[in-house]
Amino acid sequence: MARRLFCATRALLLPVPAPAPAAAPVPVPASSAAAAEAAASLLPLLPCKRRKKLLKKLNSPRVSPIEPEADRRVLALDAVLDRDAAFRFLHRTRSFLASLPPPHRIPLSEAGKLYRELGFPRGRKVARSAERHPLLFHLPVVDSVPHLALTPLMRSLLDEERRVHEELLPSRVRAVRKLLMLTAHRRVPLTKLHHCRAVLGLPDDFRDRVHGFPNDFRVVVDPADGRHVLELARWDPALAVSALERDFVVDERRVRRTFRFAVPHSRLMPLDAEDADRLDAATTFPLVSPYTNGALLKPWTPEAEKYRVGVVHEFLSLTVEKRAMIHHIVEFKEEFGLTRHMYESLKKQNRAFYLSGTEMNWALFLRDAYDEHGVLKEKDPLVMFNEKLQRYACMTKIDSRGTMADAAGLTE
């Protein structure tokens, strides 16, 4: 299954000529939900014991889609998660090897035990995953011991990535300041930021770099558990403007269509569709800014729900790809004041958010940030670099008719 998804993603990422104006949209890879539906179609053809075994797997939270209704799924956004799964080994292994001292290699016998850190399936050979990306990883033999190492091309790409992080560091500091302003006590443990560094576009050594911004951050030790906590040094009113507030100034009508906090009413109340929309609009607006103090709001009120939904929306707008996995959002549950009923609140705002994945591990997308093909409308430079890296990962060799620079030009 993983190999089929990888091949499908490879066909999507390779450079293609610009389509004609009347051409059909680019097809997206088959999603895991479609694979589950295909497996379910085989149930009547299987013997009783195998049918029960397969049915148990299909009903497992690991497989069951978070969106049970097939007609409400967005296949283009579902394919984004399948692409992440296909390149999981690439991104985890290059980060792990880059964290090692030069020459950035590890014995193959030890690498085979680090299936979580390197992102390959448990029980599989790590060499098989590395051989799928021959331009980026190789298996040199050092003192009769095979190793997993980075190729010279991969090392040059990592140098390029470091330059991208250096250029984006001021904007990343601004995003972290806004994130701290969203929290209840204007502080976040550094371990949580490190866990979500890929989502927020932070460099791996951001925990060490924060000391270079004394006017923006303070690093203190929490006396309760001894963790290092990042605190906001000063409040900036210019940053306390959410993405929704900026969009409201540009396109008020679109923002009004995005959110809806309905008022529950009895069926005996004679309301037509227009009257119901007017009633919902009266309770939906004004929205509550996520930069207000949510602790002052009474729980289980429409204002508290507006606040929590706004905080999640603002957090997603701070990410590089305008999406995040549920465990990244739950990571800041205490800081954002989220409740266990947050899932139901997000499901009701289906015009603003899209939930993709399985019941056990699902992602939250900002719908307005993606087009109908599942492509980001505005791409961060780090996203463009990752796409370039993935195109190299799909290549097996460089065209013999061109030089290395020509091959790099194909991926830009």
Side-chain angles (χ1 to χ4, degrees):
M1 180 65 183
R3 187 170 183 84
R4 183 166 72 251
L5 290 175
F6 177 80
C7 296
T9 310
R10 172 181 177 181
L12 179 66
L13 292 174
L14 286 177
V16 295
V26 179
V28 296
S31 65
S32 55
E37 291 180 0
S41 64
L42 299 177
L43 287 175
L45 307 177
L46 298 177
C48 183
K49 290 185 177 180
R50 295 189 61 184
R51 188 188 308 138
K52 290 183 179 179
K53 186 176 181 180
L54 180 58
L55 188 60
K56 183 178 180 180
K57 290 183 177 180
L58 293 177
N59 293 332
S60 170
R62 293 179 179 270
V63 181
S64 300
I66 191 68
E67 179 53 71
E69 299 182 18
D71 57 341
R72 299 182 62 178
R73 297 174 192 157
V74 182
L75 298 182
L77 297 182
D78 291 340
V80 174
L81 296 187
D82 294 322
R83 182 195 63 195
D84 289 350
F87 291 111
R88 183 181 295 116
F89 174 81
L90 167 67
H91 294 293
R92 290 192 183 181
T93 301
R94 59 115 176 187
S95 297
F96 182 84
L97 294 179
S99 65
L100 300 178
H104 306 290
R105 65 189 181 203
I106 182 175
L108 206 59
S109 58
E110 296 182 14
K113 304 175 184 178
L114 304 175
Y115 59 91
R116 288 193 181 93
E117 291 80 358
L118 301 183
F120 64 94
R122 183 178 183 179
R124 304 289 181 87
K125 293 184 178 180
V126 63
R128 184 176 180 181
S129 298
E131 290 170 352
R132 294 177 179 174
H133 314 296
L135 293 184
L136 307 179
F137 305 108
H138 67 128
L139 306 173
V141 179
V142 181
D143 298 332
S144 303
V145 178
H147 285 65
L148 174 64
L150 303 174
T151 62
L153 174 61
M154 186 61 166
R155 290 197 293 269
S156 66
L157 290 173
L158 291 179
D159 292 337
E160 179 182 348
E161 183 184 24
R162 281 189 284 268
R163 291 193 295 269
V164 172
H165 278 300
E166 288 292 341
E167 297 174 358
L168 297 176
L169 187 59
S171 63
R172 298 298 187 251
V173 170
R174 180 177 178 272
V176 174
R177 290 175 63 192
K178 290 176 69 69
L179 177 64
L180 293 175
M181 293 169 65
L182 287 175
T183 60
H185 303 288
R186 319 303 180 213
R187 54 186 295 176
V188 168
L190 279 173
T191 53
K192 295 188 176 184
L193 283 178
H194 185 73
H195 174 70
C196 301
R197 64 189 184 280
V199 177
L200 298 171
L202 304 178
D204 292 339
D205 58 347
F206 185 77
R207 289 182 292 185
D208 301 326
R209 296 194 178 197
V210 294
H211 298 281
F213 302 92
N215 295 330
D216 301 321
F217 307 117
R218 289 191 301 265
V219 179
V220 298
V221 178
D222 192 342
D225 50 17
R227 292 187 300 178
H228 287 78
V229 179
L230 187 67
E231 288 186 348
L232 184 68
R234 57 186 177 88
W235 180 273
D236 189 354
L239 295 181
V241 181
S242 65
L244 278 177
E245 291 174 306
R246 293 193 301 269
D247 294 342
F248 192 83
V249 175
V250 177
D251 191 351
E252 177 181 347
R253 185 179 179 183
R254 182 181 62 82
V255 176
R256 287 187 176 275
R257 292 197 310 263
T258 300
F259 290 94
R260 181 180 181 183
F261 293 88
V263 177
H265 58 273
S266 174
R267 294 182 179 181
L268 301 178
M269 183 179 295
L271 290 178
D272 55 13
E274 184 177 356
D275 292 336
D277 291 339
R278 290 179 179 178
L279 182 62
D280 294 341
T283 56
T284 299
F285 296 96
L287 296 174
V288 179
S289 173
Y291 292 100
T292 58
N293 190 353
L296 301 179
L297 301 175
K298 295 182 180 180
W300 318 120
T301 60
E303 288 74 18
E305 184 178 3
K306 293 178 188 179
Y307 168 77
R308 290 191 292 266
V309 170
V311 166
V312 174
H313 188 280
E314 184 68 5
F315 173 75
L316 294 179
S317 68
L318 296 177
T319 61
V320 292
E321 295 190 58
K322 314 306 177 189
R323 62 184 175 95
M325 301 301 294
I326 180 58
H327 60 84
H328 293 132
I329 301 175
V330 173
E331 190 77 23
F332 301 100
K333 177 181 178 180
E334 297 177 357
E335 288 78 7
F336 292 162
L338 304 181
T339 65
R340 60 180 180 179
H341 301 284
M342 197 65 216
Y343 168 75
E344 297 297 335
S345 300
L346 296 175
K347 286 281 289 184
K348 291 189 293 185
Q349 307 301 330
N350 54 2
R351 297 180 182 178
F353 307 111
Y354 176 69
L355 281 64
S356 177
T358 62
E359 294 179 358
M360 179 173 289
N361 191 26
W362 48 276
L364 191 64
F365 289 78
L366 281 183
R367 284 183 179 267
D368 291 340
Y370 289 81
D371 61 13
E372 64 273 13
H373 303 304
V375 180
L376 276 170
K377 297 178 181 178
E378 298 181 5
K379 292 186 178 181
D380 187 87
L382 190 60
V383 175
M384 299 175 65
F385 170 81
N386 287 332
E387 291 179 351
K388 175 181 179 179
L389 184 65
Q390 291 168 1
R391 286 194 289 267
Y392 270 118
C394 293
M395 296 180 181
T396 57
K397 62 180 179 179
I398 295 178
D399 192 352
S400 60
R401 295 175 297 177
T403 61
M404 183 71 69
D406 294 333
L410 290 175
T411 63
E412 294 177 353

